Amino acid sequence: MSDNAKLTRGSIRGHLVAQTLPMIIGIAAMTSVGLVDAYFIGQLGSAELAAISFIFPISVAIVSLGVGVSVGINSVVARALGAGDDDEAARRGNFGIAFAIALGLMACVLLYFLSEPLFRLMQADETLLPLILIYMKPFAFGLPLILAIQGVNGVLRGQGEAKRTSMIAIAYSVANWILDPLLITGAFGFAGYGVAGAAYATVLGWGVGAAMAFYLLRGTAINFHPRRLKEADWVKSLRAIGRVAGPAAFSNSINPMGLAVLTALIAAEGQAAVAGFGAGGRLQSFAVVPLLALSAAIGGIVGQNWGAKQYDRSRSALVQAGAFCLIYGLSVALVLVAAGDWFAGFFSDDPAVTHEFTRYLAISAWGYAGFGVLIVVNGAFNAIDRSSFALGQSFARVFLIMLPVAWLMRDAWSAEAIYTAELAANLAGGLVAAVLAWYLFSRSKREEAAA
């Protein structure tokens, strides 16, 4: 194994903590951007808040595309380092970054020209559509920047450089915090740009994050250099990354697809239901940050040890991570359900919106533990080149459970059918993930013993 495969040595629990804590800080900073956006946009009115609720699933889908590419890069870099091939890790890491930027350019063009038909399909009415489009046009131009950030993050995580990925996220988030009040509601005599200002702040923040990403990459064993791109076998690199990134990106995009459909269904219940559901979703995104961080951290640990054929260490990492998901998920659900009314006041003073917000939390929060198990297991599957398992269970969670439950129950339960569908999907998804993980990692244990 390579000397740079530092996650193949030392305490597994120590690596889980050391890799997860910086990512908690980084992901919390990035997730807080959505909360800050929602706060300042909420000052503009309930229509503007509802418009952002329509945008939320699309923005999450774009980020999920980047996360999928990052996961693919992470997987090939970690396994190459674990196997002792530093040069191959560098070649594939460089190709992965270039590939991510190219995807960002393609997504920019598609989203810019297809925004209006997309949101009409999501049932956005004529009042909200102009507000949505004002945001989406500038937002599209930032996509190459966020994909570049995700590409670099994949290389850093594959090396176990969690602190550097956290610094990138903090740089982007701080820039956004500073720009939001100025560009959305205005300050110091400047009127602000309203909803469009939130998009401007996001894109400028991504620019800061991309600059920081390439600067921090220079201090690691794998730097971005054109020479490495020339040395790389593009076809083999694309296949290796794509074999994980394709299913991982689709797997990560499935949940936003489901949220987009749920948003379209809940639109029939009125703007208050849409606003409450969207604001609750943003708070939920913040609440599950430790679970998201753990799912990001598990890939480098499992991947490097799997590449080094230290399967017992990979299994231990997954078991310990799953236990954390159960304890944390249930604990945070208790807090959010108990304090739902207090949190609602941060987003709106409209009684109809706050009612929907608290009802959403009271039902959906009990599924966080299952959601955590699902995404951590998916992270481990992607790390060992078993992304088809991750894709399959993510697909089943949304299209076989979440959407059917929402569709069948909505006439009887109205908006609460949507909230219940999310709960059912997370509980079932976590259970299926745990069973699949036990099967796959137990099989590797038997194969290891036979060898």
Side-chain angles (χ1 to χ4, degrees):
M1 68 186 70
S2 168
D3 289 339
N4 293 318
K6 58 186 179 182
L7 303 179
T8 59
R9 303 177 294 273
S11 165
I12 287 294
R13 182 173 299 177
H15 287 319
L16 283 170
V17 173
Q19 295 298 304
T20 301
L21 284 179
M23 289 189 184
I24 288 176
I25 297 171
I27 295 175
M30 291 186 68
T31 305
S32 71
V33 169
L35 293 175
V36 173
D37 280 353
Y39 173 79
F40 284 105
I41 290 170
Q43 309 308 305
L44 301 176
S46 59
E48 286 81 359
L49 189 60
I52 292 299
S53 298
F54 269 98
I55 291 165
F56 183 63
I58 304 304
S59 62
V60 172
I62 296 297
V63 173
S64 294
L65 171 64
V67 170
V69 174
S70 179
V71 166
I73 299 169
N74 179 351
S75 177
V76 297
V77 168
R79 282 184 283 124
L81 290 175
D85 195 342
D86 289 8
D87 287 338
E88 184 66 2
R91 287 191 292 268
R92 291 190 170 179
N94 273 259
F95 175 83
I97 294 171
F99 176 60
I101 295 171
L103 279 180
L105 291 169
M106 292 171 58
C108 168
V109 173
L110 290 173
L111 189 61
Y112 185 87
F113 289 105
L114 297 180
S115 289
E116 183 169 351
L118 175 63
F119 285 100
R120 287 190 184 278
L121 187 64
M122 290 176 62
Q123 306 300 311
D125 62 34
E126 296 300 326
T127 302
L128 299 181
L129 192 59
L131 295 172
I132 293 171
L133 296 180
I134 285 173
Y135 181 96
M136 293 307 297
K137 297 300 184 181
F139 176 83
F141 286 101
L143 299 186
L145 295 172
I146 185 59
L147 266 293
I149 291 172
Q150 295 288 18
V152 173
N153 279 344
V155 176
L156 292 173
R157 288 172 182 164
Q159 298 178 79
E161 296 285 353
K163 290 181 181 179
R164 293 175 187 264
T165 65
S166 175
M167 292 170 65
I168 295 167
I170 291 171
Y172 148 62
S173 302
V174 170
N176 202 94
W177 298 340
I178 294 171
L179 292 170
D180 258 0
L182 175 64
L183 298 181
I184 296 175
T185 55
F188 309 113
F190 176 67
Y193 295 104
V195 172
Y200 298 146
T202 295
V203 173
L204 291 172
W206 283 344
V208 172
M212 178 66 78
F214 283 102
Y215 172 76
L216 292 175
L217 187 64
R218 294 174 60 188
T220 70
I222 300 177
N223 194 8
F224 185 68
H225 197 284
R227 176 174 60 84
R228 291 295 190 181
L229 287 175
K230 293 178 181 178
E231 294 173 354
D233 185 323
W234 287 28
V235 175
K236 287 185 178 180
S237 295
L238 181 60
R239 286 176 179 170
I241 294 173
R243 191 165 55 242
V244 177
F250 187 48
S251 178
N252 278 284
S253 299
I254 284 174
N255 191 55
M257 289 179 193
L259 288 176
V261 175
L262 293 186
T263 302
L265 292 176
I266 207 169
E269 308 300 324
Q271 281 191 15
V274 174
F277 177 64
R282 287 177 181 269
L283 178 61
Q284 174 180 283
S285 296
F286 192 78
V288 300
V289 160
L291 304 178
L292 295 171
L294 186 57
S295 72
I298 198 74
I301 299 170
V302 170
Q304 284 193 16
N305 284 286
W306 197 270
K309 302 188 184 303
Q310 297 185 155
Y311 303 124
D312 57 328
R313 289 174 60 85
S314 295
R315 285 191 296 271
S316 177
L318 188 55
V319 169
Q320 293 181 52
F324 173 82
C325 291
L326 294 175
I327 295 169
Y328 175 82
L330 292 174
S331 299
V332 77
L334 283 171
V335 173
L336 291 184
V337 171
D341 289 328
W342 183 75
F343 283 114
F346 284 96
F347 295 94
S348 177
D349 56 4
D350 185 330
V353 173
T354 57
H355 172 74
E356 293 297 338
F357 180 94
T358 54
R359 289 305 301 152
Y360 173 68
L361 288 184
I363 295 172
S364 68
W366 299 109
Y368 293 171
F371 176 72
V373 171
L374 171 71
I375 61 176
V376 164
V377 169
N378 277 355
F381 284 168
N382 289 328
I384 63 173
D385 203 10
R386 299 294 190 277
S387 55
S388 59
F389 283 80
L391 174 58
Q393 63 186 13
S394 295
F395 181 90
R397 171 182 172 272
V398 170
F399 293 102
L400 300 184
I401 301 172
M402 181 188 288
L403 298 184
V405 170
W407 181 264
L408 293 173
M409 301 301 297
R410 65 177 185 150
D411 288 339
W413 290 5
S414 300
E416 291 190 1
I418 309 300
Y419 313 152
T420 302
E422 188 173 315
L423 171 64
N426 286 336
L427 293 178
L431 179 61
V432 170
V435 171
L436 283 174
W438 176 84
Y439 165 75
L440 186 59
F441 281 78
S442 294
R443 187 176 68 178
S444 72
K445 185 176 182 179
R446 292 192 298 271
E447 292 173 352
E448 181 183 10

